[in-house]
């Protein structure tokens, strides 16, 4: 593979040598996986769309959703996208003179991003429990069922993303910036950005749509 | 071989190949059209395959051998063109027939009589037919007057089923809490069979019913006979009827005689709508209250009261010639 | 700071700023009920689609450059299928449910 | 969900082995017979492995291998094992229906329902899929001149997950029961209220787990084809089988999510009291049908496209000619792939939607006939002006031509909603899909196995037995399934445990005989393997090119070295090997060899197989502590693995040189064989340039 034909999107650059070569295949594979996952979200979304009227006399969006909390979650996640960008930046443009230094920045940004992710999960958990208190549990109606499936699916992805990040922090500290750590970090940041994009769909379609 | 089988056997009665009404007849003629058109693209393959194999067999050194011949633009036009033309023709026919034979579309009849309206409830494993215009109901027996359009409205009180009367109309799904429609007309007297085609448990194959297309007079007579001699269909009786089992079991549980027809005359008001609305009461229907569930307990089940919204199908047909 | 690094940093920050704006508009509009419901839906939809495009462009660096376009093709193909599947589902299911009562 | 006991729903009486003693009947004899056959089969296998001390080689050479060729072979073996169960089940159903006029029959209705459900599930997910994925695994890296798949370890995990799914279906034969709602498992019949037993749960976890494996395979194939082609091999130089693989992978990648979503939603309904598809509280079973077929329809093209690929390869090879209309075939394949995402509604034309919706999807369905027709015509044009050798693959191809078009015709018939109102859910439909699945998919796979067998094992399969096998399949198919068209039109519904129309009976008996014929075809297939293994020395083709092949895989010894190609071949057109043979000396020994790095064997796939089988079993039987344990163990194993140093095997340049040059030297000096001696013992795998094929 000649270096002139790198794929667009997140990448490392020629300076990274073999890691850059490996990223070509790994990233493309991961892109495909994400697109498949995109379809998954799309389908759950479509089911949500068909179930919007199926409240079966139970609580509705207006009874259950909390505007402030959704605002906060969105802000947190959006901010984490920026910090995730910083992870890619510190990965790609390492301080050539000081390995320790590079790793420090890298780990710092991963931890900040993960922390924001956890705050998001915490807020979501709080939403779920206040909803449940008001009788908004998944078994109450077709609409709630698909609400929990869609938002919960995103939440589970977020949890996996946080776990993954923590594992990568340990690996970055243990192995330094080995090729495999680099390509994994790149896939992780792709994943993180992707989850934010999905969230844009969710806050628009589910929450803002629900408030109207 | 399969083509030979398309010719209906003399006494095949429960198939649209021996239609009793205009819908099934149109379906049959559409089938023949489609087969003929499609054969236009397929027969060349059936002919060419043996010819080519024989002519260009390895041993035949006389046949032309062009190992690097791999493309011809003229041939390409034919190879893409032929199926495209045939598919265009097929698509054209398809579009028209689908609109024309749509199952929800009411049938127009020459005599301008109001359609016979029948409400169909799929149960495990039998069919309940409600004739709201006459306030009678039957199990596994659908009687119709010849020449009068029939409008069916269907639901089930268990899992999804598919209601089919092949010789008259084909099939449509019936689902709990929902209603579908099927319209047709019988154009000649005769008997045929209807059934469920969507597997729904052990006695699936027994979920069949007799269909009789009668003269108007015979039909009227049958109606009055049911009115006179039928049994009461109370709510309790309905719950027993809804229990999983075939018609024979229902007969036994309702204390009827062995061969007695399951005919009913006094019905709970708006039975059909209450069955549909069973699944729209805004509270969960426990398994024990779901007919068709192995854990169903007839005593626990109830039909919703009438304060739920009702579907309006058939109401406009109520102004019936009683 | 080398030029590439600078450009990338700029990209992330621009993406962030655009996203903040594109998020605020619909949130604000819904919060204040600034428009009629129909208009609100349209505003939300436009803002969402734009924001998704913005994030692809600025966070994931997907663009129309002359490099190999595999990723872009993949994304566009996915979007096509999403439209077919999600659109088809909504079409079929609304048609069905309007005929079931 | 209420019970949290140590053994969940398990109890001694769920074991079906002894049903026949508890309550003797033919039905229970079949139940217990099947269960004990399975148990005895496993015991015999264990005994044989122990007796011949094969555990170690099995583990070291196969189960831990990440070599795409070995993984491919294991997939096909899995498919063959499952096929023997599936075909027998088909025959048992046929036997039942020959006796079930008027209500009874040798089996209980419930057992019959389990049979069509397991048969359909097994045939689609654990026979057809392993066959195509196995063949693809074996071939694609060879055909594009790659060393392995893009993600060899993930490939092994895919196999592990598919096997776990198959294992769950097999376990259900002995412990508990299987689902009874068919391979489509429509709710609300499969909802908790109506099927409270373990059957649907076995189905759910088998499908969900193997589905993940399949998705990973699809990703692997697509990346391999995009990124690992030999230097110079443009997309439009790829062999057609590789093209069909690419399209199949695209279908897998984008359609599997629909299945996963549908199945997991059904699971949520059953386990956590969700209301996706329930009758009450706003559930809607129509959503399930919609989701299922958004997967289900692309799935049938996932199955057929690789078969089309095989036919493209064999028709060119055995006609001794270039493939006619290469680009046309590529375009047609792409058209089929894209169109197949736009037609799913044709599986539920009768659900009640409006005429416009039905007509739109009906027309979209018919459009697929155009590219399919182009393909069929192109294969015929490939044979035209060729020198056709009537070998086993050509017999399969001929049967395909004649029989598949009938299946296509009935597909067109079904694509008309007007007619589908009549024949939906009838035996006409059953005839249609067996008509495309056997002559299309199965014949494609069997001819592929016959064609590439010498590549994989170094010796050819017996031609004569192979021909008998092929003819038996073709005849058996015709007798078994063509009458079903008639029965369907006469009104017999599918999945009928019994029937009441005496006219059906003679036809039922006829198709019963057909099923016997199909069982003997399968036995003959195994006999072909057996006899060929015994005669492997006379049938050996070590030089690697027994059929005068055209594509890269034939440019390797048979079986190929672990590293496939010592040097990645330089490609400058389609049919690279045919070109090389024509333009001189394909077997010249290169002057330089380099060391080769291959991934080391791993036990990860096997561990995953065990963990996922256990997980599925635990979930099915509500043994939640075990499910939790497995559910934790899976990520833990993954993380643990990610901390381990990546291990590689390094093969020295000297070793590579020794093996590769030995093969080249021997082949160079071996006599080339003319095509009329192809099926004789003198065919050692080097083709003479007679009938050389200009490119
Ligand atoms: C490998 C599997 C496979 C393949 C290749 C096909 C191919 C086709 N199928 Fe079939 N199918 C398959 C497997 C199934 N189908 C099913 C069900 C099914 C149904 C639903 C019926 C119902 O439920 O009521 C329809 C409408 C079709 C249509 C078609 C069409 C139009 C094609 C076309 O692709 C065929 C194209 C081929 C043709 C036409 C022959 C060659 C063409 C020539 C020679 C020239 C050109 C022809 C013309 C111009 C007409 N299929 C089911 C049922 C599932 C279930 O319910 O359990 C299965 C498993
Ligand atoms: C080889 C001999 C085979 C025999 C004798 C056979 C027989 C049968 C029978 C009797 C049925 C039930 C029909 C009914 O519903 O009434 C059936 C269903 C089915 N078969 Fe086969 N079959 C065979 C091969 C195959 C193959 C190779 C495949 C797929 C690759 C296959 C796929 C299916 C499927 C998907 C069903 C539908 C199951 C369902 O209803 O859910 N069969 N088969
Ligand atoms: Cu289909």
């Amino acid at each position: 593979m000649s270096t002139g034909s790198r794929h667009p999107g997140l990448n490392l650059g020629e300076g990274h040598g073999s890691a850059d070569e490996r990223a070509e295949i790994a990233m493309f594979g991961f892109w495909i996986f994400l697109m498949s996952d995109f379809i998954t979200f799309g389908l759950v979304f479509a089911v949500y769309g068909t179930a919007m009227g199926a409240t079966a006399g139970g609580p509705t969006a207006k009874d259950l959703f909390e505007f402030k909390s959704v605002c906060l979650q969105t802000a947190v996640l959006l901010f984490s996208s920026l910090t995730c960008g910083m992870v890619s930046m510190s990965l790609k443009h390492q301080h050539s003179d000081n390995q320790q230094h590079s790793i420090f920045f890298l780990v710092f940004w991963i931890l900040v991003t993960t922390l924001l992710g956890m705050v998001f999960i915490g807020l979501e958990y709080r939403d779920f429990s206040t909803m449940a208190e008001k009788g908004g549990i998944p078994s109450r109606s077709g609409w709630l069922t698909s609400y929990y499936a869609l938002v919960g699916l995103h939440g589970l992805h977020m949890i996996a993303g946080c776990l993954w990040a923590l594992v990568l922090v340990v690996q970055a500290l243990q192995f330094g910036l080995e090729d495999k750590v680099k390509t994994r970090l790149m896939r992780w940041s792709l994943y993180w950005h992707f989850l934010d994009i999905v969230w844009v769909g969710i806050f628009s379609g589910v929450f803002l749509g629900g408030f109207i | 071989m399969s083509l030979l089988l398309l010719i209906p056997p003399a006494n095949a009665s429960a198939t649209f190949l021996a239609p009793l009404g205009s819908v099934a007849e149109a379906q049959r003629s559409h089938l023949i059209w489609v087969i003929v058109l499609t054969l236009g693209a397929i027969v060349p393959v059936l002919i060419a395959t043996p010819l080519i194999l024989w002519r260009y067999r390895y041993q035949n050194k006389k046949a032309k051998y062009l190992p690097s011949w791999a493309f011809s633009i003229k041939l390409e036009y034919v190879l893409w063109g032929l199926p495209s033309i045939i598919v265009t023709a097929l698509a054209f026919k398809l579009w028209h027939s689908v609109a024309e034979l749509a199952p929800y579309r009411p049938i127009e009849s020459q005599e301008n009589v109001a359609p016979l309206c029948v409400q169909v409830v799929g149960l495990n494993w039998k069919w309940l037919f409600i004739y709201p215009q006459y306030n009678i109901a039957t199990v596994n027996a659908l009687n119709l007057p010849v020449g009068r359009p029939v409008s069916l409205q269907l639901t089930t009180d268990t899992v999804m089923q598919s209601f089919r009367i092949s010789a008259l109309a084909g099939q449509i799904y019936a689902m709990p809490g929902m209603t579908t429609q099927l319209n047709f007309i019988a154009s000649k007297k005769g008997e045929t069979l209807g059934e469920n085609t969507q597997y729904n448990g052990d006695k699936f194959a027994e979920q069949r019913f007799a269909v009789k297309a009668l003269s108007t007079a015979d039909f009227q007579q049958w109606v009055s006979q049911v009115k006179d001699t039928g049994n009461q269909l109370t709510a309790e009786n309905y719950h027993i009827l809804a229990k999983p089992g075939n018609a024979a079991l229902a007969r036994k549980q309702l204390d009827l005689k062995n061969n007695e027809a399951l005919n009913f005359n006094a019905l709970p008001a708006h039975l059909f709508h209450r069955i549909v609305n069973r699944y729209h009461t805004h509270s969960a229907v426990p398994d024990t209250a779901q007919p068709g569930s192995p854990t169903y307990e007839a005593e626990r089940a109830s039909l919703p009261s009438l304060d739920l919204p009702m579907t309006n199908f058939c109401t406009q047909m109520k102004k019936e010639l009683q | 700071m080398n030029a590439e690094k600078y450009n990338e940093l700029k990209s992330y920050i621009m993406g962030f700023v655009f996203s903040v704006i594109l998020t605020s508009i619909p949130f604000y509009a819904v919060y204040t009920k600034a428009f009629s419901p129909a208009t609100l839906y349209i505003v939300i939809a436009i803002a969402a689609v734009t924001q998704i495009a913005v994030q692809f462009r600025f966070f994931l660096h997907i663009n129309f450059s002359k490099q190999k376009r595999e990723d872009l093709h993949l994304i566009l193909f996915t979007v096509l299928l999403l439209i077919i599947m999600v659109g088809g589902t909504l079409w079929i299911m609304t048609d069905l449910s309007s005929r079931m009562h | 969900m209420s019970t949290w006991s140590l053994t969940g729903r398990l109890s001694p009486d769920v074991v079906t082995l002894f049903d026949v003693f508890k309550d003797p009947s033919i039905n229970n004899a079949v139940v217990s017979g099947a269960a004990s056959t399975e148990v005895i089969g496993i015991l015999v296998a264990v005994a044989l492995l122990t007796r011949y001390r094969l555990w170690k080689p099995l583990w070291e050479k196969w189960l831990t291998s990440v070599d795409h060729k070995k993984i491919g072979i294991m997939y096909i073996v899995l498919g063959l094992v499952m096929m023997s169960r599936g075909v027998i089940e088909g025959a048992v159903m046929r036997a039942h229906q020959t006796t079930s006029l008027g209500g009874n029959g040798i089996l209980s209705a419930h057992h019959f329902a389990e049979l069509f459900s397991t048969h359909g599930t097994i045939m689609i997910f654990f026979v057809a899929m392993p066959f195509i994925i196995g063949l693809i695994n074996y071939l694609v890296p060879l055909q594009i001149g790659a060393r392995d798949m893009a993600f060899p370890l993930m490939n092994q995990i895919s196999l592990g997950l598919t096997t776990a799914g198959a294992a769950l279906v097999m376990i259900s034969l002995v412990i508990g029961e299987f689902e009874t709602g068919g391979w489509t498992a429509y709710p609300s019949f499969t909802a908790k209220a109506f099927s409270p037993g373990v059957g649907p749960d076995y189905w759910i976890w088998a499908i969900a787990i193997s589905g993940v494996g399949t998705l990973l395979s699809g990703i692997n194939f697509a990346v391999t084809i995009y990124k690992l082609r030999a230097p110079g091999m443009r997309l439009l130089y790829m062999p057609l089988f590789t093209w069909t693989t690419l399209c199949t992978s695209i279908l897998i990648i984008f359609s599997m999510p629909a299945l996963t979503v549908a199945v997991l939603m059904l699971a949520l309904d059953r386990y956590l009291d969700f209301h996706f598809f329930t009758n009450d509280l706003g559930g809607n079973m129509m959503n399930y049908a919609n989701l299922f077929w958004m997967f289900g329809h692309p799935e049938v093209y996932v199955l057929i496209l690789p078969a089309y690929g095989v036919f493209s390869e064999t028709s060119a090879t055995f006609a001794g000619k270039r493939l006619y209309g290469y680009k046309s075939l590529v375009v047609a394949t792409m058209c089929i792939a894209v169109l197949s995402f736009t037609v799913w509604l044709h599986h539920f034309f009768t659900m009640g939607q409006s005429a416009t919706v039905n007509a739109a999807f009906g027309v979209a369905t018919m459009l697929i006939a155009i590219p399919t027709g182009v393909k069929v015509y192109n294969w015929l044009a490939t044979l035209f002006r060729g020198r056709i050798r009537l070998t086993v693959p050509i017999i399969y191809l001929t049967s395909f031509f004649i029989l598949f078009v009938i299946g296509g015709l009935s597909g067109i018939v079904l694509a008309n909603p007007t007619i589908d109102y009549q024949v939906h859910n009838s035996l006409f439909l059953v005839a249609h899909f067996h008509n495309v699945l056997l002559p299309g998919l199965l014949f494609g796979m069997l001819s592929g196995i016959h064609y590439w067998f010498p590549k994989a094992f170094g010796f050819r399969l017996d031609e004569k037995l192979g021909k008998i096998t092929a003819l038996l399949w073709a005849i058996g198919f015709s007798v078994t399934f063509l009458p079903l068209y008639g029965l369907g039109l006469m009104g017999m519904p599918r999945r009928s445990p019994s029937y009441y129309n005496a006219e059906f009976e003679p036809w039922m008996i006829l198709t019963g005989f057909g099923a016997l014929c199909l069982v003997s075809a399968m036995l003959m297939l195994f006999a072909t393997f057996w006899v060929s293994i015994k005669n492997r020395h006379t049938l050996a083709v070590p030089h690697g090119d027994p059929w005068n092949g055209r594509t890269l895989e034939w440019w390797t010894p048979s079986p190929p070295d672990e590293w496939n190609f010592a040097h990645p071949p330089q490609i400058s057109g389609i049919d690279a090997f045919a070109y090389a043979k024509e333009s001189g000396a394909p077997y010249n020994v290169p002057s330089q060899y380099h060391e080769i790095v291959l991934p080391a064997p791993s036990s990860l796939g096997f561990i995953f197989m065990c963990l996922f089988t256990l997980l599925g079993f635990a979930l099915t039987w509500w043994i939640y502590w075990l499910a939790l344990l497995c559910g934790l163990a899976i990520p833990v194993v993954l993380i643990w693995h990610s901390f381990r140093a990546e291990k590689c095997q390094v093969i020295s340049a000297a070793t590579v040189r020794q093996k590769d040059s030995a093969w080249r030297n021997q082949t160079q000096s071996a006599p080339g064989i003319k095509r009329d001696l192809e099926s004789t013992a003198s065919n050692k795998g080097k083709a003479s340039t007679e009938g050389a094929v200009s490119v």
Side-chain angles (χ1 to χ4, degrees), chain D residues 270-485:
Chain D
R270 288 180 62 86
Y271 283 77
L272 296 177
D273 203 15
F274 276 43
H275 289 276
F276 286 108
F277 314 124
T278 53
N279 290 354
D280 57 338
L281 287 182
N284 186 349
M285 66 286 299
M286 298 191 295
N287 267 331
Y288 180 90
N290 183 64
L291 286 171
F292 184 87
W293 291 114
M294 232 185 297
F295 149 79
H297 183 83
E299 167 71 7
V300 302
Y301 291 91
V302 165
L303 299 181
I304 200 71
L305 287 180
Y308 290 165
V310 173
F311 291 129
S312 305
E313 306 287 332
T314 56
S315 59
T317 301
F318 291 107
K321 193 165 160 283
R322 268 181 76 179
L323 189 64
Y324 174 85
Y326 173 84
K327 281 188 187 152
S328 232
L329 282 167
V330 170
V331 171
T333 311
M334 296 289 242
C335 287
I336 296 177
V338 173
L339 279 176
S340 65
F341 283 109
T342 64
V343 303
W344 74 91
L345 179 129
H346 68 217
H347 294 275
F348 48 94
F349 277 145
T350 60
M351 203 145 78
Q353 57 278 26
S354 63
T356 324
V357 180
N358 269 355
F361 280 89
V363 169
T365 305
M366 281 188 173
L367 287 180
I368 297 189
I370 301 173
T372 312
V374 169
K375 295 188 82 122
V376 172
Y377 296 153
N378 278 15
W379 294 317
L380 277 171
T382 302
L383 298 185
F384 182 64
R385 293 181 176 161
R387 284 258 149 93
I388 308 162
R389 288 108 68 187
L390 200 65
T391 51
V392 172
I394 290 295
I395 295 185
Y396 280 117
L397 180 69
T398 312
S399 321
F400 164 78
F401 280 145
I402 305 229
L403 295 172
F404 181 80
V405 293
I406 300 175
L409 183 147
S410 61
I412 298 294
V413 168
L414 289 165
N416 286 269
T418 317
I419 308 171
D420 193 60
Y421 285 129
Q422 284 290 355
V423 287
H424 174 61
N425 270 349
S426 76
L427 287 186
F428 188 91
L429 170 62
V430 174
H432 158 69
F433 65 70
H434 284 95
N435 201 165
V436 277
L437 283 167
L438 278 96
L441 163 93
L442 192 67
F443 289 9
M445 292 302 114
L446 293 175
S447 71
I449 289 173
H450 197 96
Y451 180 61
W452 280 294
F453 190 92
K455 179 50 54 190
F457 296 102
F459 57 96
R460 284 171 286 127
L461 287 174
D462 189 285
E463 270 303 291
K464 204 187 244 162
L465 285 174
K467 281 180 188 167
I468 297 174
T469 310
L471 287 173
L472 275 174
W473 279 112
I475 296 166
F477 162 77
S478 307
V479 179
T480 313
F481 293 106
L482 294 183
L484 298 192
Y485 282 122

Side-chain angles (χ1 to χ4, degrees), chain D residues 238-250:
Chain D
M238 297 191 313
L240 225 88
F241 182 80
T242 302
W243 263 110
T244 55
T245 299
L246 181 58
C247 292
T248 280
S249 317
I250 292 174

